Amino acid sequence: MAKFRKIGILTSGGDAPGMNAAVRAVARKALDEGVEVVGILGGYSGLIKDNVIPLTPRSVSNIISRGGTFLYSDRCLEFKTEEGMQKAIETCKKHEIDAIVACGGDGTFRGATDLTNRGIPTVGVPCTIDNDITATDYTIGFDTAMNTTMHMIDCLRDTCVSHARCNVVEVMGRDCGAIALNTALASGAVAAVLPELPFDEAEILTRIKTLAAAGKRGFLVVVSEGVVTEDGKKYGEVLAKKIEAETGVETKFARLAHVVRGGNPTLRDRFTATEMGVHAVELLMDGKSNLVICEIDGKITELDINYALIADRYYKKKLKPGDLDAFCAEDVAKMEALAAKRHEELSVIYQMLSETSK
Ligand code: F6P
């Protein structure tokens, strides 16, 4: 068992509903183990600027149900520089922080591994609405964001049907179409457009035209923000204009944007955040670090952060020269299998959507 006296917690990158529940779980579990806990305000910037507060069981009361992050968040460019990193290490030394739990997405994990390499053991907890960390089946915030999105699309459906209109809805997710695809299926959209899968524009235009001629009132098309035209325009807006021009169905465009990143976390997000937060502390107490907590086939477990980061690039076809050099053939085969699994998961849902969107 590691002899930690003090653990720091931070939330970094885009906030996600359930981050507070994760912070609460980390703080309560560590305090229960007799370890002091501090919160670092504003993500890695807080570490650079020495913005650190003590956390007690009471200071994390009443946050499990709240969206956002009470530790605040930031996308910190300075942390990517050696100077910024050294300031962060100084803050850790000053406050005698022995280890850190970093809640966020892939950018947060890159920072976490940099800290571990400089002597501050760090474990990452995946928090992002995008569910775009390939190594884990689930990231905290995804369920809440999908439910909020679905609710918004339900509202649009009401008014679309009243007025016999189509509504193209652009949803967040960066270059991951999971929110778009799942909410399209769950809200009865006629189509979803995502960055990962090819999309037949002519087919969807024909489908809307045919269904409208057969008397269908109200059409919803969900487009992931990551889909862009060849000249760099967001595809959702472009598609809305094309649908109206080519099908004759009046078409509105709605960008849901950040609204789905807020709100009270669902049970799924509070529960998973608690499981993951507790596991992060257990790993640190066992002397383990440079890990990211994952949910794999329903089980909370962990993977090496470097593996997780490169597996992510592998799936997203963003590998840089030399990225695979540190990995054995078996690891690379695992990345290949994981990429195939993710692709298959999306394809199955996409197929189901096309079969049920008549
Ligand atoms: O990663 C979460 C996310 O909300 C993405 O879906 C989106 O592309 C991005 O963050 C928006 O970032 P920002 O909050 O910096 O505008």
Side-chain angles (χ1 to χ4, degrees):
M1 176 145 316
K3 292 266 175 289
F4 285 130
R5 282 165 305 170
K6 204 183 275 180
I7 285 181
I9 314 170
L10 60 84
T11 54
S12 156
D15 61 354
M19 268 182 165
N20 281 327
V23 170
R24 171 186 175 275
V26 171
R28 292 258 173 97
K29 171 70 178 166
L31 290 160
D32 191 58
E33 296 282 349
V35 175
E36 276 183 68
V37 182
V38 291
I40 297 145
L41 298 178
Y44 291 118
S45 308
L47 214 45
I48 291 173
K49 292 178 189 146
D50 188 9
N51 226 338
V52 175
I53 56 165
L55 294 180
T56 66
R58 291 285 61 78
S59 53
V60 292
S61 284
N62 301 320
I63 62 168
I64 194 166
S65 59
R66 279 170 44 197
T69 160
F70 94 116
L71 291 181
Y72 312 131
S73 194
D74 195 10
R75 300 191 195 276
C76 179
L77 293 177
E78 195 184 349
F79 195 66
K80 292 185 178 161
T81 66
E82 191 53 40
E83 205 190 334
M85 191 71 63
Q86 286 313 322
K87 285 188 200 162
I89 301 291
E90 280 313 306
T91 303
C92 290
K93 283 189 189 149
K94 178 178 161 193
H95 293 275
E96 299 179 318
I97 297 171
D98 299 314
I100 285 185
V101 176
C103 304
D106 53 357
T108 305
F109 299 154
R110 273 190 290 276
T113 197
D114 287 343
L115 277 177
T116 307
N117 290 339
R118 285 164 182 77
I120 310 290
T122 302
V123 169
V125 174
C127 297
T128 163
I129 62 163
D130 301 339
N131 204 26
D132 66 342
I133 299 172
T134 307
T136 176
D137 292 344
Y138 191 77
T139 62
I140 296 161
F142 182 47
D143 188 59
T144 309
M146 284 195 298
N147 276 290
T148 308
T149 304
M150 184 181 70
H151 173 68
M152 302 271 164
I153 299 176
D154 286 347
C155 294
L156 289 169
R157 168 183 288 283
D158 292 345
T159 175
C160 274
V161 174
S162 303
H163 292 268
R165 283 176 180 156
C166 174
N167 214 310
V168 175
V169 190
E170 183 194 278
V171 298
M172 276 192 169
R174 209 180 285 280
D175 47 12
C176 175
I179 296 178
L181 181 59
N182 291 348
T183 58
L185 185 86
S187 53
V190 278
V193 189
L194 20 156
E196 299 95 328
L197 296 176
F199 168 66
D200 186 345
E201 184 184 275
E203 193 275 325
I204 186 63
L205 293 173
T206 307
R207 198 187 312 173
I208 292 176
K209 217 172 172 174
T210 311
L211 289 170
K216 182 172 166 67
R217 293 174 68 89
F219 297 89
L220 294 157
V221 178
V222 187
V223 181
S224 172
E225 65 172 351
V227 184
V228 287
T229 61
E230 270 171 19
D231 53 350
K233 291 198 184 97
K234 296 261 191 187
Y235 181 65
E237 269 175 300
V238 174
L239 180 64
K241 288 192 182 112
K242 277 194 188 168
I243 291 174
E244 180 156 308
E246 298 195 24
T247 69
V249 177
E250 186 184 359
T251 302
K252 302 283 179 190
F253 172 74
R255 176 170 290 135
L256 300 188
H258 293 80
V259 70
V260 304
R261 230 165 68 184
N264 298 347
T266 56
L267 181 144
R268 163 62 143 135
D269 281 324
R270 298 178 200 190
F271 201 96
T272 305
T274 305
E275 289 183 297
M276 288 187 166
V278 165
H279 192 52
V281 176
E282 285 168 349
L283 291 171
L284 287 171
M285 299 301 291
D286 277 352
K288 297 177 183 155
S289 69
N290 212 35
L291 297 166
V292 55
I293 311 294
C294 294
E295 180 186 298
I296 300 175
D297 299 333
K299 286 207 172 60
I300 302 300
T301 181
E302 68 282 343
L303 285 171
D304 176 77
I305 287 192
N306 295 320
Y307 171 84
L309 288 171
I310 301 304
D312 208 48
R313 284 196 206 151
Y314 193 101
Y315 172 61
K316 293 172 184 163
K317 300 190 171 58
K318 288 183 177 170
L319 280 177
K320 296 178 189 156
D323 269 354
L324 294 176
D325 291 358
F327 298 93
C328 63
E330 199 186 330
D331 281 341
V332 177
K334 275 190 205 152
M335 289 181 200
E336 175 64 39
L338 187 56
K341 179 183 168 198
R342 294 282 169 252
H343 188 79
E344 175 66 10
E345 284 163 352
L346 284 181
S347 303
V348 166
I349 302 171
Y350 195 77
Q351 176 65 22
M352 214 177 341
L353 175 66
S354 92
E355 287 162 1
T356 56
S357 60
K358 302 289 185 300

